[in-house]
Amino acid sequence: MQSTDLGNKESGKIWHRKPSPATRDGIIVNIIHSTSDYHPKVLRFLNVAFDGSGDCLIAGDHQGNIYVFDLHGNRFNLVQRTAQACTALAFNLRRKSEFLVALADYSIKCFDTVTKELVSWMRGHESSVFSISVHASGRYAITTSSDTAQLWDLDTFQRKRKLNIRQSVGIQKVFFLPLSNTIISCFKDNSIFAWECDTLFCKYQLPAPPESSSILYKVFAVTRDGRILAAGGKSNHLHLWCLEATQLFRIIQMPTKVRAIRHLEFLPDSFDAGSNQVLGVLSQDGIMRFVNIQTCKLLFEIGSLDEGISSSVISPHGRYIASVMENGSLNIYSVQALTHEINKPPPPLVKVIEDLPKNKLSSSDLKMKITSGRVQQPAKSREGKIQTRILKQDLMGNFENKENELSDGLNKKRLQILLKGYGEYPTKYRMFIWRSLLQLPENHTAFSSLIDKGTHVAFLNLQKKYPIKSRKLLRVLQRTLSALAHWSAIFSDTPYLPLLAFPFVKLFQNNQLICFEVVATLIINWCQYWFEYFPNPPINILSMIENVLAFHDKELLQHFIDHDVTSQLYAWPLLETVFSEVLTREEWLKLFDNIFSNHPSFLLMTVVAYNICSRSPLLHCTLKDDFEYFFHHRNNLDISVVIREVYHLMEITPAHIHPESELEVFVALTKGQYPVFNQYPKFIVDYQTQERERIRNDELDYLRERQTVEDMQAEVDQQRVKDEAWYQKQELLRKAEETRREMLLQEEEKIVEQRQRLAAVKRELKIKEIQLQDAARRRFLKLQQDQREMELQRLDDEIERKVQMRDREIASTAKDLEMRHLELETQKRLYEKNLTKNQEAVAKAIQEDADAYRRKVDLEDHMFHKVIEADQTQSRETQKIIEDSLAKAEQACLNTDWKIRTLHKQQCDDLHRSAGYQEVAALLQKNRRKEMEVLNAMMEKDAEKWKEAEEKDFHLKSEKKASALSDASRKWFLKQEMSAALEHAENPFIQVSLNRKTEWDGMEQNLIKKVRNLRQRLTAQARNRCQTPHLLAT
């Protein structure tokens, strides 16, 4: 299996060596698309679609990159970047280079693969489009989303119809039947309708499936002939509907491991006439199984559990299968490789005679061994005589069956026995049997040389005479006829050659070499002596048919003679069309199974048998037109009866009139080069060719002259048209000028009338304006009066409201004053309480000082070294007390300042309100005077308290200062005493020490008095510095 990475390439080869798909998986190539960015990733393919020829496919990934893969030319090309994911694709439009793509923004775009340009942009869907179905003609398309289906005209790209449904019933799929003008619409409630495309008339509705096997249909598929509809869903059951009978005719149960069906598609076959027998079923496990719907046998499968398939598309000719895998890659499968084992022809039956070393040859000595493969040769024996006899017998047997032995190991006799038993060859092996019966050489080189010569001039305008709808079929027919004309010149002038070759071209349109060789073999063997009387019909062949008919049915021949019906009317139309006009496809194939298996005279006998089997309606025909119609149209005739009649005629016809005695036996085409075909009057053909060439040259000259004349005539006509157009234009201009003048006069009259009417209207409007102004003035005066009355009323209400508000404010002010008085009394009591607490605290502190002094005196007597430490501790405590006292005094000053500012602010507010509240002002003044008296008294009391506090503080400082002096003197004394004690430790001076102690006590008392006097002076100075705060009164 080859793998191709598209990468960032816009074009290149799909595979780099000739693909050889294995029978096991059948994969031709695996295509992936990965990016080469900094972080490489694989771009997933989402959708794929084949074109009408089946050799090109188009695929789109989830980033909107759309590629065209030419499997025949081994090329791929990036044709478009849509920048958004595609949800559906269609590539079988009437213009072969265009394709439709449905995008994620709910729009449908049409692009051209050659120019890579946008052709059209179609909008109209409101949800994602998941299906695009194109009509067989390529002119119309149906796009389907979950809520609607729309029919588009691809010539104008305009919407023709829109299918609207209820929200409760969703759409599953809407699509065209192949090769038909019918639209099938399938809904989520299992209802299926068929509509006529042009009129949208409902043709029929399929009945509901039986309740025993009812499933919700999700996926659908239709055979190419449009006769069978396959439907499946979340179940392992498949329903097959016959659309002609509108009934369910078969239910197929898939294997148990299939729980749901995700996709269905029939596998086309070139030789099944559109009645496809193989159905591809993609299940939930990612495996696509192909089953025969007639035998219900599993033929082959693609995909696996590890590499599951997401969706698949089969080419129209059934050669390729394109599958989008679950990993995002694209696999291309070869159907021929997958079906190689199935389509393998049966092994040839070869008889090998083995001889034993004995001399006797009996029936028991010959053993027949059936093997497959190459023919085994008998071993040589040493005994020449006996071996010679045995080989002679073997050679005689081989000589008798020589003409019955065919290539590929088939035996003509056994094929004839099989044909007589079943009436026809198996459809599956018919083409193989035909090729063996006709012993086609398959000269590729010779056929290529004929094809390379191009289209023969005789068939350049073939489509005008034979308008065939299929362009491919027309092209194959044109090539086949051109190859025949290049092979032999007579075929370029044979008028019935297209009719003769058309059924074979239609049958072998996918293999032009086989088609050419089949037609050539038919002409050489079954068309013997047809061209001896060219360009007239083969009189000799028609005479043979007339002789046989005269022998077997004289009455019918006499009836033909009586009504002037010759063999050119009842035999030649059947021969020149090889019965293709009067038989259906299946009947024609059955007939030619027998023709190719018998002597070339079988075809002539078939003409006689057809007339004999149709004698009843022919005997009732009296008009020549009726006979012509009968032999150019299909009739109600059983071909099996005709074939049995042919075999009967072949056996009972006398030898002297039997065509077998006149016609040559079958001769196959030669290998390598095709034989020369010159069984025709060459001088007539050459003369006709020369005459035709002369006529063609004359015609070309005539066409050139006619073209020149037509060009001149066109120029004259064009000039005449221009002159007539100029005169008409001038006449129109003159008439238009007169019309404009009349219109101007009428407009002027209308303007005068309008001005008069306008003046009258202006006068009326002026009068109305004066009246309106007078009425407005009166209304304005009344409005002003009402407004003034309302203003007076509002002022009265405002005055009353102000009075009430003033009364409420006076009452509230009185209440506020009472509350203020109560607050002041409360503050006074609190202040007195605080003073008492402060006095107690001071007394406690003095007591503590006395206690500390006593403890200090006691300690000084015991330890000298703690005197300094006690002195420092006392100094810190004294400093702390002084700092606390200063802080409290400062806080008291701040509180007083705050109260003064508060009173000042209140006074300012009172001044602002004094203008409107005169009565309240007097009461406020009285209260203020009382309040000032209270405040003055409090300030005086406060000053006295502060003065007392300062005096006490001064006294404390004096005491501490005296204490410090005493401590200093004591320290000095202790140092002296310690030094004296060290010097005179051994001399007791007890009496002197006692005297000095008495002196120092007297000195200490004097120092205490001095400290007390100093405190008093400092207190007096502090009192003088303290200023009484001034209260502002207004």
Side-chain angles (χ1 to χ4, degrees):
M1 179 186 70
Q2 299 187 52
S3 181
T4 301
D5 188 357
L6 303 183
N8 295 327
K9 295 182 291 185
E10 295 188 358
S11 63
K13 291 185 177 182
I14 304 176
W15 52 77
H16 296 282
R17 63 179 185 273
K18 186 177 180 181
S20 56
T23 307
R24 179 179 55 82
D25 54 10
I27 299 178
I28 299 176
V29 65
N30 171 254
I31 302 172
I32 61 174
H33 186 196
S34 62
T35 60
S36 58
D37 298 335
Y38 181 72
H39 295 290
K41 61 179 181 179
V42 176
L43 302 182
R44 296 173 55 84
F45 285 102
L46 297 180
N47 289 281
V48 64
F50 279 95
D51 66 347
S53 66
D55 292 328
C56 287
L57 63 93
I58 190 168
D61 59 24
H62 71 275
Q63 286 192 355
N65 301 313
I66 300 177
Y67 290 86
V68 170
F69 299 92
D70 184 1
L71 301 179
H72 181 71
N74 187 24
R75 299 290 298 175
F76 73 87
N77 288 286
L78 176 64
V79 295
Q80 198 56 237
R81 287 190 174 98
T82 61
Q84 52 184 327
C86 60
T87 57
L89 288 171
F91 197 24
N92 52 345
L93 280 61
R94 183 160 62 180
R95 293 175 288 275
K96 303 301 181 183
S97 62
E98 294 180 1
F99 66 92
L100 294 176
V101 54
L103 302 175
D105 61 353
Y106 312 151
S107 64
I108 302 101
K109 292 184 179 180
C110 180
F111 294 100
D112 193 297
T113 58
V114 178
T115 62
K116 301 182 180 180
E117 294 180 353
L118 177 65
V119 179
S120 181
W121 192 350
M122 297 175 284
R123 291 182 175 272
H125 284 277
E126 297 179 356
S127 59
S128 179
V129 177
F130 56 79
S131 172
I132 301 177
S133 177
V134 181
H135 191 266
S137 64
R139 181 178 178 184
Y140 302 107
I142 294 177
T143 58
T144 308
S145 60
S146 60
D147 55 353
T148 184
Q150 301 185 15
L151 177 64
W152 304 87
D153 188 341
L154 297 183
D155 288 340
T156 61
F157 294 100
Q158 299 294 324
R159 185 174 63 191
K160 293 189 64 178
R161 293 287 190 274
K162 182 178 180 181
L163 175 62
N164 294 316
I165 60 170
R166 297 192 303 270
Q167 295 182 355
S168 59
V169 181
I171 298 177
Q172 286 289 7
K173 193 174 183 181
V174 180
F175 55 93
F176 286 105
L177 283 183
L179 307 176
S180 173
N181 209 29
T182 303
I183 299 175
I184 298 295
S185 61
C186 309
F187 301 94
K188 291 185 178 179
D189 59 353
N190 276 12
S191 58
I192 301 175
F193 295 86
W195 312 82
E196 183 66 30
C197 177
D198 297 330
T199 62
L200 291 183
F201 172 75
C202 183
K203 300 173 68 174
Y204 56 83
Q205 177 185 2
L206 296 183
E211 296 181 356
S212 59
S213 63
S214 178
I215 58 175
L216 289 178
Y217 295 151
K218 298 288 185 182
V219 289
F220 306 88
V222 183
T223 57
R224 192 159 181 80
D225 58 2
R227 295 180 179 179
I228 298 176
L229 171 68
K234 197 172 183 181
S235 172
N236 64 342
H237 285 189
L238 279 175
H239 287 188
L240 299 181
W241 293 85
C242 178
L243 297 182
E244 292 180 345
T246 65
Q247 64 180 2
L248 181 67
F249 73 93
R250 183 167 299 163
I251 298 176
I252 299 176
Q253 183 176 0
M254 298 295 292
T256 55
K257 50 189 172 183
V258 176
R259 298 190 303 272
I261 297 173
R262 293 163 51 186
H263 184 68
L264 293 174
E265 189 158 0
F266 280 96
L267 180 63
D269 193 344
S270 302
F271 307 115
D272 59 4
S275 58
N276 311 131
Q277 303 296 318
V278 180
L279 176 62
V281 182
L282 177 61
S283 57
Q284 87 290 340
D285 55 1
I287 299 175
M288 193 167 188
R289 300 169 174 85
F290 289 83
V291 298
N292 190 306
I293 61 174
Q294 298 296 332
T295 62
C296 298
K297 291 183 178 180
L298 178 62
L299 304 179
F300 62 91
E301 61 184 29
I302 58 176
S304 63
L305 296 176
D306 296 332
E307 297 181 358
I309 297 174
S310 178
S311 62
S312 288
V313 178
I314 303 176
S315 62
H317 52 48
R319 294 180 186 173
Y320 305 109
I321 302 174
S323 299
V324 178
M325 311 304 289
E326 292 179 350
N327 59 8
S329 64
L330 182 65
N331 279 2
I332 309 297
Y333 295 89
S334 171
V335 177
Q336 182 179 2
L338 292 170
T339 59
H340 178 71
E341 295 295 333
I342 303 171
N343 295 333
K344 182 182 290 186
L349 302 180
V350 182
K351 297 179 181 179
V352 179
I353 301 176
E354 298 178 355
D355 55 341
L356 297 176
K358 295 182 180 181
N359 294 333
K360 295 183 178 179
L361 185 64
S362 62
S363 60
S364 62
D365 294 334
L366 294 176
K367 296 182 179 180
M368 290 192 347
K369 182 178 180 182
I370 301 174
T371 60
S372 61
R374 299 177 61 182
V375 179
Q376 299 178 0
Q377 300 294 335
K380 294 183 179 180
S381 176
R382 294 180 180 178
E383 299 183 8
K385 294 182 179 180
I386 300 176
Q387 184 65 26
T388 301
R389 184 175 60 82
I390 297 174
L391 288 177
K392 184 178 180 181
Q393 182 181 357
D394 185 44
L395 290 174
M396 289 298 294
N398 287 338
F399 179 77
E400 292 175 357
N401 296 326
K402 184 177 180 180
E403 67 177 43
N404 294 327
E405 294 294 334
L406 303 175
S407 61
D408 300 324
L410 298 182
N411 186 278
K412 190 173 182 179
K413 286 291 184 180
R414 293 193 176 185
L415 288 176
Q416 289 176 347
I417 295 172
L418 177 67
L419 183 63
K420 289 183 179 179
Y422 292 96
E424 59 180 332
Y425 292 127
T427 304
K428 192 173 185 179
Y429 302 106
R430 174 177 282 125
M431 299 301 108
F432 173 75
I433 294 173
W434 282 15
R435 291 166 65 178
S436 300
L437 289 172
L438 300 179
Q439 301 178 24
L440 302 181
E442 298 187 15
N443 299 327
H444 292 274
T445 305
F447 178 72
S448 298
S449 64
L450 295 175
I451 291 296
D452 293 341
K453 294 180 180 179
T455 304
H456 198 275
V457 292
F459 304 107
L460 288 175
N461 299 321
L462 183 66
Q463 67 275 10
K464 294 181 180 180
K465 190 174 182 181
Y466 300 98
I468 301 174
K469 184 181 295 185
S470 173
R471 296 179 61 87
K472 178 183 178 182
L473 192 61
L474 177 64
R475 185 169 61 252
V476 175
L477 177 62
Q478 196 173 33
R479 289 180 180 177
T480 304
L481 297 178
S482 299
L484 291 171
H486 292 309
W487 176 43
S488 181
I490 191 173
F491 297 129
S492 62
D493 299 324
T494 306
Y496 56 86
L497 185 63
L499 299 175
L500 179 72
F502 180 74
F504 298 98
V505 170
K506 191 172 183 180
L507 190 63
F508 297 98
Q509 57 181 321
N510 294 322
N511 195 334
Q512 300 179 32
L513 170 63
I514 300 300
C515 177
F516 171 80
E517 292 186 350
V518 168
V519 176
T521 305
L522 178 73
I523 292 173
I524 291 177
N525 293 278
W526 283 270
C527 299
Q528 297 179 40
Y529 310 116
W530 281 27
F531 306 98
E532 290 185 354
Y533 295 91
F534 185 82
N536 298 315
I539 306 300
N540 51 350
I541 299 297
L542 298 179
S543 299
M544 295 180 191
I545 296 173
E546 188 171 352
N547 292 335
V548 175
L549 181 62
F551 179 80
H552 293 287
D553 198 338
K554 294 181 180 179
E555 181 183 0
L556 180 59
L557 180 61
Q558 187 62 39
H559 180 72
F560 287 154
I561 295 172
D562 293 341
H563 294 88
D564 196 19
V565 176
T566 63
S567 58
Q568 296 185 17
L569 185 58
Y570 66 80
W572 181 237
L574 300 177
L575 290 176
E576 67 179 357
T577 61
V578 285
F579 293 88
S580 61
E581 285 185 347
V582 297
L583 298 178
T584 63
R585 178 188 176 91
E586 290 75 12
E587 294 173 345
W588 188 86
L589 291 172
K590 183 184 292 186
L591 174 62
F592 267 83
D593 284 345
N594 292 271
I595 290 175
F596 286 153
S597 301
N598 289 279
H599 191 271
S601 61
F602 193 90
L603 179 62
L604 306 183
M605 286 296 188
T606 305
V607 176
V608 178
Y610 188 86
N611 283 270
I612 292 175
C613 293
S614 305
R615 67 189 311 275
S616 178
L618 288 174
L619 291 175
H620 288 82
C621 294
T622 57
L623 299 177
K624 194 171 184 179
D625 293 339
D626 295 339
F627 287 104
E628 290 181 358
Y629 182 87
F630 183 87
F631 289 105
H632 285 88
H633 293 82
R634 295 177 182 176
N635 303 295
N636 188 14
L637 188 64
D638 189 359
I639 191 63
S640 300
V641 176
V642 175
I643 293 173
R644 286 197 298 269
E645 182 65 22
V646 174
Y647 280 109
H648 179 68
L649 295 177
M650 290 286 287
E651 293 176 356
I652 66 173
T653 302
H656 65 281
I657 62 173
H658 201 295
E660 187 176 2
S661 60
E662 301 292 336
L663 299 179
E664 301 289 339
V665 295
F666 175 81
V667 177
L669 296 177
T670 56
K671 194 76 173 178
Q673 293 293 333
Y674 297 114
V676 177
F677 186 82
N678 54 5
Q679 300 176 6
Y680 58 89
K682 192 173 186 300
F683 68 94
I684 295 178
V685 175
D686 294 342
Y687 175 74
Q688 286 186 348
T689 304
Q690 294 174 1
E691 286 297 312
R692 189 177 295 104
E693 187 66 25
R694 184 183 61 79
I695 293 171
R696 186 178 293 109
N697 293 331
D698 294 343
E699 185 179 1
L700 291 175
D701 295 338
Y702 168 73
L703 289 175
R704 283 194 295 269
E705 293 177 359
R706 191 178 69 176
Q707 184 65 32
T708 304
V709 173
E710 288 179 353
D711 293 342
M712 294 175 62
Q713 185 66 31
E715 292 179 359
V716 172
D717 294 340
Q718 187 177 4
Q719 187 63 34
R720 185 174 66 254
V721 169
K722 288 182 179 179
D723 295 341
E724 291 179 357
W726 186 82
Y727 285 118
Q728 290 178 0
K729 186 176 182 180
Q730 295 297 323
E731 183 67 20
L732 291 173
L733 289 174
R734 185 182 62 78
K735 292 181 180 179
E737 185 178 359
E738 294 178 356
T739 305
R740 296 295 185 278
R741 288 179 179 175
E742 293 177 358
M743 291 174 63
L744 286 174
L745 293 175
Q746 294 176 1
E747 290 296 329
E748 288 178 357
E749 294 176 357
K750 289 181 180 180
I751 289 172
V752 171
E753 293 178 358
Q754 289 178 357
R755 286 177 178 174
Q756 293 176 357
R757 288 196 298 271
L758 183 60
V761 171
K762 284 183 178 180
R763 286 193 299 272
E764 293 178 357
L765 291 175
K766 193 67 176 177
I767 294 171
K768 289 183 179 180
E769 184 179 359
I770 294 171
Q771 293 175 357
L772 290 173
Q773 288 178 354
D774 188 19
R777 185 178 58 80
R778 290 195 299 272
R779 189 165 58 252
F780 180 71
L781 291 174
K782 183 178 180 182
L783 180 62
Q784 283 185 340
Q785 184 179 359
D786 294 340
Q787 287 180 350
R788 288 177 180 176
E789 291 178 357
M790 291 175 64
E791 185 68 21
L792 290 173
Q793 182 67 31
R794 187 180 62 77
L795 290 174
D796 292 340
D797 295 339
E798 185 68 21
I799 291 169
E800 184 178 357
R801 188 179 63 79
K802 291 287 186 180
V803 171
Q804 293 177 357
M805 186 184 295
R806 185 189 61 188
D807 294 341
R808 287 194 298 271
E809 288 180 353
I810 291 171
S812 62
T813 304
K815 292 179 180 179
D816 291 340
L817 290 174
E818 291 177 0
M819 292 298 295
R820 181 67 60 81
H821 181 68
L822 293 174
E823 290 177 358
L824 290 174
E825 290 294 334
T826 305
Q827 290 178 0
K828 181 179 179 181
R829 292 190 183 92
L830 290 173
Y831 182 71
E832 292 176 353
K833 185 178 179 181
N834 290 332
L835 288 176
T836 304
K837 290 181 178 179
N838 291 333
Q839 290 176 358
E840 292 177 356
V842 171
K844 186 177 180 180
I846 293 170
Q847 183 67 32
E848 290 176 354
D849 291 340
D851 295 338
Y853 176 75
R854 285 192 297 270
R855 286 192 302 272
K856 181 180 64 177
V857 172
D858 295 336
L859 291 173
E860 286 177 352
D861 294 338
H862 299 284
M863 297 179 69
F864 294 104
H865 66 278
K866 290 186 178 180
V867 175
I868 298 172
E869 185 177 355
D871 180 60
Q872 293 177 354
T873 302
Q874 188 64 29
S875 298
R876 284 196 298 271
E877 290 178 357
T878 304
Q879 185 179 358
K880 184 176 180 181
I881 292 171
I882 294 170
E883 289 176 356
D884 291 341
S885 179
L886 290 174
K888 289 179 181 179
E890 184 67 25
Q891 184 66 35
C893 292
L894 291 174
N895 292 338
T896 306
D897 292 339
W898 175 73
K899 290 178 181 180
I900 291 171
R901 287 195 297 272
T902 303
L903 292 174
H904 181 68
K905 185 176 180 182
Q906 291 175 357
Q907 291 172 3
C908 291
D909 293 338
D910 293 340
L911 286 175
H912 286 298
R913 291 194 299 273
S914 63
Y917 302 100
Q918 294 296 331
E919 295 178 358
V920 180
L923 181 59
L924 291 174
Q925 289 176 1
K926 293 178 182 180
N927 292 332
R928 190 178 295 111
R929 283 195 293 271
K930 292 180 181 180
E931 185 177 355
M932 289 299 295
E933 292 174 357
V934 173
L935 292 174
N936 289 331
M938 291 175 63
M939 292 300 295
E940 291 176 357
K941 187 67 174 176
D942 184 73
E944 292 176 357
K945 294 295 184 182
W946 276 107
K947 183 177 179 181
E948 183 179 357
E950 289 175 352
E951 290 177 354
K952 291 181 178 180
D953 184 67
F954 180 77
H955 178 70
L956 177 62
K957 291 180 179 178
S958 299
E959 292 291 332
K960 288 184 178 180
K961 187 175 182 182
S963 177
L965 292 174
S966 177
D967 292 337
S969 63
R970 228 178 358 261
K971 288 179 182 179
W972 178 80
F973 173 74
L974 290 173
K975 289 180 180 180
Q976 294 293 331
E977 287 296 322
M978 288 176 66
S979 62
L982 291 172
E983 292 177 358
H984 306 284
E986 297 180 356
N987 298 322
F989 294 99
I990 301 172
Q991 187 65 38
V992 176
S993 298
L994 291 174
N995 291 336
R996 288 181 180 178
K997 183 177 182 182
T998 305
E999 289 177 1
W1000 284 108
D1001 290 339
M1003 290 175 66
E1004 184 177 1
Q1005 291 176 2
N1006 292 332
L1007 287 173
I1008 290 171
K1009 289 179 181 180
K1010 290 179 181 180
V1011 170
R1012 187 178 293 111
N1013 292 332
L1014 182 60
R1015 285 180 178 175
Q1016 289 176 0
R1017 287 198 301 271
L1018 291 173
T1019 304
Q1021 290 176 3
R1023 189 179 297 165
N1024 292 331
R1025 287 195 303 269
C1026 183
Q1027 297 179 1
T1028 304
H1030 301 282
L1031 299 175
L1032 299 176
T1034 57

